[in-house]
Amino acid sequence: MITKYIKNIALAGSVCCCMTAALTSCDDMLDTVPQGQFTAEQLDESSVEGLVASAYAGLEAHFYGNNEAFAGPSTNWIFDVRSDDAYKGGGGTGMEENIHLLEVSEVNSDNVSCLNKWQNNYYAISRVHNAMLALQQASSIAGAEQVMGELKTLRAWYYFDLMRIFNRIPYFKEGEDVNTKPNDEFSRDEIFSFIKQDLTEAIEVLPAQKSAAGRITRTTAQAILAKVCAFTSDWEGVRDNADAVIKSGQYSLYQNFGDLSKIAFNNGSESVFALQCSTANDNAHINWSNLLNCTYSDGNLYGTGDDFFYGSQNLVNAFRTDPNSGLPLLDGTFNRVNVTENYDGTLDPRLDFTVGRIGFPWRGHTYTQGWCRAYDIYGEFSNKKAWPAPEDALATWPWGCNSLNFMFIRYADILLLKAEALVELASGTNAATDEGLVEARALVNQVRQRAAQSVDGSYSPVDLDPSKADYYVGLYPTDWDGNLYWTKERARMAVRFERRLELALEGNRWFDLVRWGQDYLMNTMNTYMTEEAKLRPYYQGRSVSANEIFLPVPLAEIDNSNGLYKQY
């Protein structure tokens, strides 16, 4: 059985480089017909393992340079920039202008971010197919069925990522001639059914427990399937798969929200599916997709980072809480007051684990305006969650590089997905008439309880300053107007708001807006752009229209498809 895990899945990139005979060139990456590969007689556990490792390494989105990982990142931070959660950041709007254009919803088919994101996922799918074909040709590979389950899970993830971003894509399986596959052969519903089929088949053969850190298991596939079902509004599928992850007993929330940013907690109890990062091998396998986003860090603590990916003022304001209850301001008033250095109201402490604020701690240091590369353009809220303490990162090129994993899916996401499913499936109008709404409230409160207990003065490194901020997180009550308070509609608002707070700047917000519906997204984004233009003039006159929600098929791909691809 292939159990020797490539300790950092990232090492698969090195495997890929030294096994050029087993892989096609970048120029012909989508050609899945085996050429110049191992013969069936040559395939053994070691060679197949190398190809499987290469398939895992596709999660890095780092194939042939650096910019393809920056502009088409696996972390999907550029899609948070498309949402109301983030600004592009960097030195100005003209730096990485391709991402700036996405931020202001000027979506063009020649945008390099469209091309990089498209190519990265199809490169990764090609690696999966190479491994699948090798596994099918090999003889006497112990545990082959389980490994095929891992590969199907990876393929499902890569295709799911594409489907969240592009409207119509070509879909093909291992061994098919991609040069005959148009992007209108299958409907979106059909492709989602293929994705779900891969995951369902994988769940049947994957092990319950990991054989090594980072390796895909049954619960990984179930968690991904829960997210796919949420995107397709299959709420029973969300409930059942999220419930399977929860009931597996393998996961729990970290005690302190700040633990999410500690290398010591890599592959800990909250990590369900993560990119494995490492500073070994001359930093070849760090989180390249987030590398642009390192804060400028006055004093060269991380090196002078590019300082992309800033929290928006709207996001920061969302962390305001009601001074009497400690609950979010679900009535829409959260954005009427800006949280600035003079703000003296109550706040959810997750704010100061998520972004930097001038005068507040940053991993035991003081965050100042000098940490902000373009303060006059983007303000002060440099993303914080993705960075461990400076002492655990390098201050030289690549600046801020470190071995903190990136969690594609963590346990809090699964808890909130199940809560959302229970709300959508509720037949009663309030918690007094529907038990699902009662359970949904308990799940949301479980996430909020962790936020509340994260205000701990003894926690190190220091990220909160209770002398400067009034932190207050309350739980949704069971005795406020009885259970009639927790209505289905209020529960829906609460779950959606909680997802924004809990998962901020983790690459989820835009996709949540997309799946909550076209009207919801456009109302949210157009209100945001109008209000944010008062602070960020580049939003003036900007809006999101229905035909700009999905990225267009990259122009270069259309030109190279010999008429196979159509624009949608």
Side-chain angles (χ1 to χ4, degrees):
M1 181 175 179
I2 303 175
T3 56
K4 181 189 174 186
Y5 187 59
I6 298 75
K7 184 171 181 182
N8 296 295
I9 290 175
L11 293 179
S14 299
V15 174
C16 176
C17 292
C18 69
M19 298 181 67
T20 53
L23 297 176
T24 54
S25 70
C26 288
D27 293 334
D28 203 18
M29 201 71 173
L30 295 187
D31 185 353
T32 59
V33 179
Q35 296 179 350
Q37 297 192 351
F38 295 111
T39 65
E41 291 75 20
Q42 292 172 318
L43 287 166
D44 57 16
E45 280 204 18
S46 177
S47 55
V48 172
E49 181 175 306
L51 291 170
V52 172
S54 180
Y56 269 100
L59 294 169
E60 292 181 1
H62 190 230
F63 293 95
Y64 50 84
N66 292 335
N67 213 65
E68 87 280 9
F70 301 160
S74 60
T75 62
N76 283 329
W77 70 270
I78 65 173
F79 295 96
D80 270 339
V81 169
R82 291 201 72 192
S83 80
D84 52 350
D85 270 10
Y87 311 135
K88 175 185 71 70
T93 58
M95 181 174 286
E96 294 291 339
E97 187 181 22
N98 47 296
I99 303 174
H100 169 73
L101 294 175
L102 294 181
E103 179 181 351
V104 297
S105 202
E106 188 174 327
V107 181
N108 301 303
S109 62
D110 61 353
N111 187 307
V112 71
S113 290
C114 298
L115 178 62
N116 287 158
K117 189 63 187 177
W118 178 285
Q119 289 184 331
N120 284 348
N121 280 32
Y122 277 113
Y123 291 168
I125 290 167
S126 177
R127 290 184 175 190
V128 170
H129 287 167
N130 282 331
M132 284 181 166
L133 291 168
L135 192 61
Q136 291 163 5
Q137 294 175 57
S139 58
S140 302
I141 300 294
E145 188 178 44
Q146 173 185 320
V147 175
M148 186 62 75
E150 294 178 62
L151 293 170
K152 286 183 177 181
T153 303
L154 286 170
R155 178 168 67 184
W157 177 256
Y158 296 135
Y159 272 125
F160 173 51
D161 198 33
L162 286 165
M163 289 293 287
R164 294 188 294 182
I165 295 166
F166 299 96
N167 191 19
R168 298 298 289 272
I169 65 170
Y171 182 92
F172 46 89
K173 292 188 175 182
E174 72 278 13
E176 293 187 308
D177 183 358
V178 301
N179 295 312
T180 65
K181 306 295 284 187
N183 71 328
D184 62 354
E185 180 179 10
F186 300 110
S187 67
R188 286 183 61 82
D189 286 345
E190 287 174 315
I191 294 176
F192 275 120
S193 72
F194 299 150
I195 293 170
K196 290 179 180 180
Q197 181 180 353
D198 263 351
L199 292 167
T200 300
E201 292 175 358
I203 289 167
E204 292 297 318
V205 298
L206 286 169
Q209 302 286 337
K210 295 177 183 177
S211 59
R215 193 137 199 172
I216 285 171
T217 64
R218 184 183 308 153
T219 53
T220 314
Q222 288 166 328
I224 296 173
L225 186 51
K227 289 185 77 73
V228 174
C229 288
F231 205 84
T232 56
S233 299
D234 173 8
W235 297 114
E236 290 184 350
V238 177
R239 178 197 62 198
D240 294 347
N241 284 284
D243 199 47
V245 175
I246 294 167
K247 290 182 177 178
S248 72
Q250 298 180 49
Y251 305 99
S252 61
L253 298 176
Y254 296 152
Q255 288 298 305
N256 192 293
F257 197 78
D259 293 336
L260 296 169
S261 302
K262 288 187 173 183
I263 295 170
F265 283 79
N266 277 353
N267 300 311
S269 65
E270 193 157 347
S271 179
V272 180
F273 179 38
L275 172 66
Q276 304 295 301
C277 296
S278 170
T279 53
N281 300 317
D282 296 324
N283 304 313
H285 305 294
I286 58 174
N287 186 345
W288 290 95
S289 289
N290 271 9
L291 192 62
L292 286 182
N293 305 337
C294 183
T295 176
Y296 207 53
S297 68
D298 187 30
N300 205 42
L301 294 176
Y302 290 101
T304 50
D306 283 314
D307 209 25
F308 283 77
F309 196 26
Y310 266 50
S312 69
Q313 184 69 60
N314 185 286
L315 171 65
V316 170
N317 295 345
F319 286 90
R320 295 175 58 218
T321 60
D322 183 287
N324 298 311
S325 66
L327 293 175
L329 304 177
L330 300 181
D331 59 0
T333 61
F334 74 90
N335 203 42
R336 293 181 183 176
V337 175
N338 287 338
V339 175
T340 65
E341 60 183 346
N342 297 319
Y343 178 77
D344 60 0
T346 53
L347 288 169
D348 188 315
R350 285 175 290 187
L351 170 62
D352 288 325
F353 289 116
T354 302
V355 299
R357 290 202 293 151
I358 291 174
F360 280 80
W362 175 298
R363 314 287 188 240
H365 301 268
T366 300
Y367 185 82
T368 68
Q369 187 172 326
W371 289 52
C372 309
R373 184 178 185 182
Y375 176 83
D376 291 343
I377 300 172
Y378 294 114
E380 67 182 271
F381 306 121
S382 183
N383 83 91
K384 186 178 188 181
K385 192 181 287 184
W387 301 98
E391 292 74 18
D392 294 324
L394 298 183
T396 57
W397 168 257
W399 42 81
C401 72
N402 61 83
S403 57
L404 181 67
N405 287 353
F406 178 82
M407 287 187 277
F408 296 116
I409 306 177
R410 58 183 177 90
Y411 189 55
D413 189 356
I414 296 302
L415 292 174
L416 293 174
L417 281 177
K418 184 181 177 184
E420 185 176 353
L422 292 171
V423 170
E424 298 303 327
L425 290 169
S427 56
T429 58
N430 54 62
T433 59
D434 190 284
E435 292 183 358
L437 290 173
V438 176
E439 185 178 357
R441 179 174 56 202
L443 291 166
V444 172
N445 279 344
Q446 186 176 342
V447 173
R448 292 187 62 76
Q449 178 62 50
R450 193 264 297 275
Q453 71 190 32
S454 294
V455 183
D456 184 348
S458 65
Y459 192 73
S460 179
V462 177
D463 281 304
L464 309 181
D465 188 345
S467 71
K468 291 184 177 180
D470 187 1
Y471 300 115
Y472 181 27
V473 174
L475 306 184
Y476 286 100
T478 58
D479 58 353
W480 185 354
D481 296 331
N483 281 324
L484 298 179
Y485 168 79
W486 190 255
T487 64
K488 180 170 182 173
E489 184 55 35
R490 187 176 283 115
R492 178 183 287 122
M493 289 190 294
V495 172
R496 291 181 177 184
F497 211 93
E498 200 65 30
R499 286 189 63 80
R500 188 182 190 193
L501 300 176
E502 176 69 19
L503 304 173
L505 305 186
E506 295 181 39
N508 285 283
R509 176 64 174 174
W510 175 259
F511 302 132
D512 279 347
L513 292 175
V514 172
R515 67 184 180 82
W516 290 333
Q518 176 180 298
D519 291 343
Y520 187 93
L521 180 149
M522 290 193 297
N523 179 64
T524 299
M525 288 306 303
N526 292 336
T527 299
Y528 163 74
M529 288 183 170
T530 298
E531 294 177 347
E532 211 74 5
K534 301 170 187 176
L535 297 171
R536 311 289 167 234
Y538 61 78
Y539 279 123
Q540 290 178 3
R542 302 292 189 171
S543 63
V544 179
S545 62
N547 63 359
E548 294 170 327
I549 294 174
F550 292 103
L551 294 187
V553 179
L555 180 61
E557 294 295 320
I558 291 179
D559 289 344
N560 292 331
S561 73
N562 296 318
L564 280 174
Y565 297 169
K566 299 176 182 178
Q567 192 60 269
Y568 288 90

